[in-house]
Structures are given as structure tokens and as C-alpha cells.
């Protein structure tokens, strides 16, 4: 009688000899299940640490999309991003041998996905609070995140999935958009709207509105920002404006208008537009008047004739009433030495006095009035500055923007033919000045400052082979 131990040894040698006869290795696959069974070997597959399949368990009990073939190779169909994992083939041998394992890593590339922080894509904060927004991404390879604000790229020092800053100004509010891209499929985007609560901001293009009795006039204010929404109202001399069929208020988007369909003399005066919320209040003042608008100098080499001692000035002004007179103010514009270098000059205001010239008006009703005056007795090769004011029956206008002009080179000096005075015209608003060109006149105008689903890259299934590995284990 042959002992059981001898039979086991005999079978073991038989299996080994059958495996050694298989050449090449790929010819081993048909005989492998029989040989493993005779060698009492068992094969298991794991995804990370979770059991997927067992050679001694019916295949229909395996997870969906997963199958194990007769040669114990593992196949996964319809790959998704969740299939990225380590897959381990474990061969369990009889005693005294322990199990042997081999691990395969599968990385399924798929296009990115984005989830905003906060999840609803909307964030409200008070001015001065911190804004913390982000985009949580997934995808293989790991996506790169870029940011833009209101459609304009943000210049960040590095790619980041989260942004944090203090809401110090209302202009930091807007739509922040993140773009995730990993080179697989198309980039994906997500937007977060950031709202900053702040007091209202109100502006206007014209605070001085010239009109006349019987005409139509409009006071316009723009509500640039208000969050929470602001309550708005119009006042005259501190009292609410009475509205009727003749005086109406219209609101379109953020533009608020007070319209006088037919101006009466009693309508002339000072008005205020006010916007107010729980965080503050903003006012903008208006003056509805018959006083002339600010005059403007005309610069044209054909008109502004210059000589060493004379210069002709032209200007225009809007006024529905006739102009009674103009005041033309002239003075030399001197640069002052700031260092010992001969060419080192400063544009600091000169200390010389203004000279006033009274120019007669006209008898026309306008609305556009033109005037000119030739200033005589000037100094050759000298830069001058000039302003002009206008008067009608309602009063004097504001001073015009500053004009710089220069006389031609020449000899001699003639005393001015007008009277010098220490009366300085007061500019109600500062004028923005620029460097002048001495060869021609130039007008400097004030610049208004306004607060303005997973996608596979290539494969849909994967097959992992185990029988070659087993062959080498049994040699």
C-alpha cells in the first residue's frame, strides 16, 4: 500500500513536471486550472484590501463589471475613476508553504470634476470680513486650478484650489470662477458669487445743471453700489421734493433722474439725491440754475494768433440768457529753480498776481455764445495762463479750465495794457494740470474722479494576468 504522504509527493512532482513541459509560458493557460487543482492551490483577487474574487467561489458572486477567467486572470469592464486602486493576486499554497502575493496598480485617467465651497456658489460678507472660497476637484491626473474674477484672469503666484482675502473694498465683490484642467477631456468650470455688504456709493456726471424758464431739465444720479439695497429720495433745501405731473422721478437700472418737464423760476435752487441703507448714507448735491455753464477755450493755430507781445484768445459758453460780460484773468506762468542745475524747474504755482480784463458780452440769447480777445503788452517768449468767467442775469459762472499759451520770441518788453489786481479768481474745484508745450497753447481740463461624468482616456476594460506569475512560483 502506498502511504498518503507518498501519494502527495508523487502528485506534487507530477504537477511540476507537467508545468515544466509547457513551453512557451502562454501554452500553460489551458492546463493551469487542472494543475492548480491537483496541486491544491487557491487563487484570490483583492482590490486594495477588499476581496473581489476567489477561485473556489462561484464567479457570479463577484462584484458587477468584474470577472475571473478559468486561467484566474481578472477583468474589469466599463472602467470608472473609482477603479483606480491596487489589485493583488494571492496564491494560497498548502502547508508548510504560506501564501504568495503580487500587486498590480491600475490608474484610470478621467476628466476633472469641481465642487464649489460654499456648495451653493454664493457668499455674502460684510465689509472688513474675510472671504474664504474654493473649488474641490477630483480627476486623474490631479487637476490644475486657475482663477478669474468677472472674466479677467487673476494674477496668483501659484495654482491653488482655495482663495482667502479680507473684503476691504466693494470692488472686491464679483463672480469668481475656477477652471480645473488635467489634460483629460475638456476643462471644467465653476463660479462663486461674492457679495460684500457696504454703504451706498453715489456719483453724477453733472452736478451743475444750466437751464432756463420754460425748458426741460434733468438731474441724474447713479447709484453705483448698495448692499443691502438702499432707500433713495430727492431733497430740495433739506425737504423732500414734491412730485406731480410736471416734476417726476424715474429710475432705470441704477440711474435715478429727477425730471422737470417745464422749468419754472421757482424750481431753480439746490437739490440733493440721497441713498441710505443700514450700513451708511451717501449724498450728491445738484444746482439747477440759469447761471452760464463753464466756458471753454478754443485751441486752433489758425485762430490763436501769437506775436512777441500779443495773443488772441477764443472761448465759448452755453447760456440760455444773453451774456452781460466776461472776466478774463491773465498772469505769467513762471517755473522756479529747485536745484542749482540750470535745467531743474518746478511747476509750483507762481507768486505773481492775476490781471483782470473785462470783456463785453453780447445781446444774443444763445444757447452758445462765442467771444474773443487779443491781449496786448505781453512779454516775448513767455508762457502765460488764463481763465475766464461769464455773467448773465442769473449771476457769474464757475471759472473755466486753465489755459496755457506762449508768446513768440522777440525783443523788448512792453508793459501790460491792463490793470493788475490782487483779486484771485477762486476755483471751486481743483484743476488737473499737465506739463505744457511752450510752442503752442494747451487746455488742461479737470479729470472727474468717479467711484466706479467621468470620461475615460483610452480603455474601457482591463485584464490582469496571474498564471505567468504562478508558473514562476512553482518552479
Amino acid at each position: 500500500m502506498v502511504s498518503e504522504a507518498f501519494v502527495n509527493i508523487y502528485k506534487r512532482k507530477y504537477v511540476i513536471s507537467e508545468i515544466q513541459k509547457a513551453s512557451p509560458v502562454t501554452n500553460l493557460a489551458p492546463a493551469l486550472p487542472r494543475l492548480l487543482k491537483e496541486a491544491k492551490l487557491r487563487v484570490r483577487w483583492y482590490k486594495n484590501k477588499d476581496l473581489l474574487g476567489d477561485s473556489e467561489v462561484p464567479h457570479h458572486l463577484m462584484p458587477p463589471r468584474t470577472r475571473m477567467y478559468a486561467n484566474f486572470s481578472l477583468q474589469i469592464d466599463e472602467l470608472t475613476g473609482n477603479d483606480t486602486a491596487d489589485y493583488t493576486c494571492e496564491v494560497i499554497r498548502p502547508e508548510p508553504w504560506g501564501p504568495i502575493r503580487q500587486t498590480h496598480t491600475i490608474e484610470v485617467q478621467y476628466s476633472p470634476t469641481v465642487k464649489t465651497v460654499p456648495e451653493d456658489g454664493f457668499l455674502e460678507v460684510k465689509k472688513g470680513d474675510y472671504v474664504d472660497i474654493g473649488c474641490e476637484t477630483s480627476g486623474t491626473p490631479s487637476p490644475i486650478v486657475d482663477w478669474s474674477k468677472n472674466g479677467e484672469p487673476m494674477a496668483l503666484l501659484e495654482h491653488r484650489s482655495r482663495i482667502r482675502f479680507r473684503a476691504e473694498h466693494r470692488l472686491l465683490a464679483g463672480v469668481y470662477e475656477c477652471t480645473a484642467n488635467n489634460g483629460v477631456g475638456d476643462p471644467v468650470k465653476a463660479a462663486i458669487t461674492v457679495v460684500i455688504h457696504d454703504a451706498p456709493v453715489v456719483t453724477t456726471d453733472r452736478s451743475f445743471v444750466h437751464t432756463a424758464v420754460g425748458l426741460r431739465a434733468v438731474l441724474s444720479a447713479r447709484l453705483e453700489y448698495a448692499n443691502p439695497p438702499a432707500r433713495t429720495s430727492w431733497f430740495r433745501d433739506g425737504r423732500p421734493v414734491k412730485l406731480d405731473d410736471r416734476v417726476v422721478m424715474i429710475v432705470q437700472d441704477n440711474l435715478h433722474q429727477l425730471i422737470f418737464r417745464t422749468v419754472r423760476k421757482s424750481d431753480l435752487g439746490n437739490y440733493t439725491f440721497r441713498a441710505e441703507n443700514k450700513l451708511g448714507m451717501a449724498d450728491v448735491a445738484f444746482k439747477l440754475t440759469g447761471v452760464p455753464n463753464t466756458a471753454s477755450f478754443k485751441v486752433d493755430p489758425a485762430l490763436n494768433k501769437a506775436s512777441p507781445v500779443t495773443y488772441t484768445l477764443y472761448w465759448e459758453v452755453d447760456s440760455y440768457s444773453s451774456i452781460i460780460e466776461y472776466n478774463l484773468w491773465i498772469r505769467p506762468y513762471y517755473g522756479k529753480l529747485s536745484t542749482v542745475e540750470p535745467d531743474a524747474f518746478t511747476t509750483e504755482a507762481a507768486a505773481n498776481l492775476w490781471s483782470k480784463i473785462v470783456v463785453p458780452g453780447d445781446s444774443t440769447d444763445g444757447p452758445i455764445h462765442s467771444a474773443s480777445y487779443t491781449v496786448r503788452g505781453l512779454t516775448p517768449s513767455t508762457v502765460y495762463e488764463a481763465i475766464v468767467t461769464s455773467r448773465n442775469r442769473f449771476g457769474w459762472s464757475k471759472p473755466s479750465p486753465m489755459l496755457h499759451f506762449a508768446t513768440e520770441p522777440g525783443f523788448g518788453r512792453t508793459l501790460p495794457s491792463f490793470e493788475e489786481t490782487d483779486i484771485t479768481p477762486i476755483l471751486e474745484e481743483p484743476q488737473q494740470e499737465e506739463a505744457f508745450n511752450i510752442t503752442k497753447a494747451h487746455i488742461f481740463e479737470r479729470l472727474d474722479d468717479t467711484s466706479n461624468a467621468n470620461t475615460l482616456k483610452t480603455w474601457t476594460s482591463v485584464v490582469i494576468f496571474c498564471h505567468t506569475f504562478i508558473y514562476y512560483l512553482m518552479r
Side-chain angles (χ1 to χ4, degrees):
M1 177 180 289
V2 180
S3 66
E4 183 178 356
F6 178 79
V7 172
N8 287 339
I9 293 174
Y10 172 78
K11 288 183 178 180
R12 181 64 175 168
K13 288 181 179 181
Y14 173 77
V15 171
I16 294 175
S17 63
E18 289 293 325
I19 293 176
Q20 290 173 344
K21 289 178 182 179
S23 180
V25 173
T26 53
N27 295 333
L28 178 64
L32 189 58
R34 177 176 59 84
L35 297 177
L36 288 174
K37 183 176 180 180
E38 293 179 358
K40 296 184 178 181
L41 298 180
R42 182 177 183 178
V43 177
R44 289 177 175 175
W45 278 100
Y46 295 88
K47 176 183 178 181
N48 294 330
K49 295 182 179 181
D50 298 328
L51 180 65
L52 286 180
D54 192 324
S55 60
E56 295 187 4
V57 176
H59 291 178
H60 68 273
L61 297 179
M62 295 183 66
R65 302 184 295 108
T66 305
R67 69 178 70 178
M68 187 164 58
Y69 288 96
N71 62 359
F72 305 105
S73 298
L74 180 68
Q75 177 171 320
I76 305 171
D77 298 321
E78 301 176 5
L79 292 172
T80 69
N82 292 330
D83 293 322
T84 297
D86 292 332
Y87 293 82
T88 301
C89 173
E90 180 184 54
V91 179
I92 302 174
R93 302 179 297 176
E95 295 294 340
W97 298 281
I100 299 178
R101 301 175 182 87
Q102 184 179 32
T103 300
H104 308 264
T105 299
I106 297 178
E107 184 180 76
V108 181
Q109 295 187 351
Y110 64 98
S111 59
T113 60
V114 175
K115 180 181 178 182
T116 60
V117 179
E119 189 172 355
D120 60 356
F122 187 83
L123 180 65
E124 289 185 276
V125 298
K126 291 183 179 179
K127 181 179 179 180
D129 290 348
Y130 277 96
V131 174
D132 192 350
I133 57 177
C135 286
E136 296 179 351
T137 62
S138 63
T140 303
S142 296
I144 295 175
V145 179
D146 293 305
W147 289 88
S148 64
K149 177 179 178 288
N150 296 335
E152 296 294 330
M154 297 178 63
L156 301 178
L157 297 178
E158 59 185 7
H159 299 286
R160 60 179 69 180
S161 60
R162 210 168 186 97
I163 297 179
R164 188 172 187 266
F165 58 89
R166 185 186 291 275
E168 295 179 340
H169 197 279
R170 62 182 177 85
L171 294 181
L172 293 174
V175 178
Y176 291 78
E177 187 176 63
C178 63
T179 302
N181 185 15
N182 67 350
V184 182
D186 297 327
V188 293
K189 299 181 179 181
I192 305 169
T193 301
V194 176
V195 175
I196 299 176
H197 290 192
D198 198 0
V201 177
V202 181
T203 62
T204 184
D205 296 330
R206 293 178 58 200
S207 60
F208 185 90
V209 180
H210 172 69
T211 188
V213 174
L215 298 182
R216 182 179 184 271
V218 179
L219 308 182
S220 298
R222 191 173 300 275
L223 181 58
E224 300 286 354
Y225 191 88
N227 205 305
R231 300 182 300 276
T232 60
S233 52
W234 287 91
F235 297 90
R236 179 181 178 182
D237 298 329
R239 297 180 180 180
V241 174
K242 295 181 180 180
L243 303 177
D244 51 31
D245 293 339
R246 187 181 62 86
V247 182
V248 297
M249 181 176 64
I250 295 179
V251 179
Q252 185 176 8
D253 295 330
N254 63 340
L255 184 64
H256 297 250
Q257 295 181 318
L258 184 63
I259 300 177
F260 300 84
R261 291 175 174 170
T262 304
V263 174
R264 297 174 180 174
K265 186 176 181 180
S266 59
D267 295 327
L268 302 180
N270 300 314
Y271 293 83
T272 301
F273 173 76
R274 175 171 297 171
E276 183 178 7
N277 64 13
K278 64 180 182 180
L279 298 178
M281 180 181 66
D283 288 346
V284 60
F286 295 87
K287 187 175 184 65
L288 184 65
T289 180
V291 170
N293 276 330
T294 302
S296 61
F297 285 102
K298 299 302 176 183
V299 179
D300 187 343
L303 298 176
N304 303 120
K305 297 178 181 179
S307 75
V309 294
T310 65
Y311 194 91
T312 301
L313 298 170
Y314 284 84
W315 63 89
E316 288 184 352
V317 62
D318 295 336
S319 174
Y320 292 106
S321 302
S322 59
I323 299 296
I324 299 173
E325 62 178 341
Y326 302 95
N327 277 348
L328 180 62
W329 305 79
I330 304 289
R331 71 177 179 183
Y333 181 81
Y334 293 128
K336 294 183 178 181
L337 286 173
S338 58
T339 65
V340 295
E341 286 78 8
D343 294 333
F345 287 90
T346 178
T347 56
E348 182 180 348
N352 54 312
L353 300 178
W354 289 95
S355 299
K356 183 179 72 172
I357 306 172
V358 178
V359 180
D362 54 51
S363 59
T364 62
D365 289 334
I368 299 177
H369 304 259
S370 300
S372 65
Y373 188 84
T374 300
V375 184
R376 306 181 185 278
L378 302 177
T379 303
S381 301
T382 302
V383 177
Y384 289 85
E385 54 189 0
I387 59 176
V388 65
T389 58
S390 314
R391 183 170 73 92
N392 63 10
R393 65 189 182 93
F394 293 98
W396 285 98
S397 70
K398 291 184 178 181
S400 67
M402 190 81 69
L403 171 72
H404 290 89
F405 65 92
T407 55
E408 297 290 332
F411 298 95
R413 183 179 187 276
T414 304
L415 293 177
S417 60
F418 44 80
E419 179 184 359
E420 293 190 350
T421 175
D422 59 357
I423 299 176
T424 301
I426 299 175
L427 304 180
E428 297 187 10
E429 297 178 1
Q431 305 294 315
Q432 181 87 13
E433 296 189 4
E434 302 173 358
F436 61 87
N437 185 343
I438 198 170
T439 61
K440 63 180 181 179
H442 184 71
I443 290 181
F444 296 87
E445 298 180 347
R446 177 174 61 85
L447 300 178
D448 293 331
D449 183 16
T450 58
S451 303
N452 21 64
N454 295 338
T455 303
L456 303 182
K457 184 176 183 182
T458 304
W459 306 279
T460 59
S461 65
V462 63
V463 178
I464 311 173
F465 297 97
C466 190
H467 60 270
T468 303
F469 165 66
I470 296 173
Y471 165 73
Y472 286 103
L473 290 175
M474 299 180 63
R475 292 187 61 179

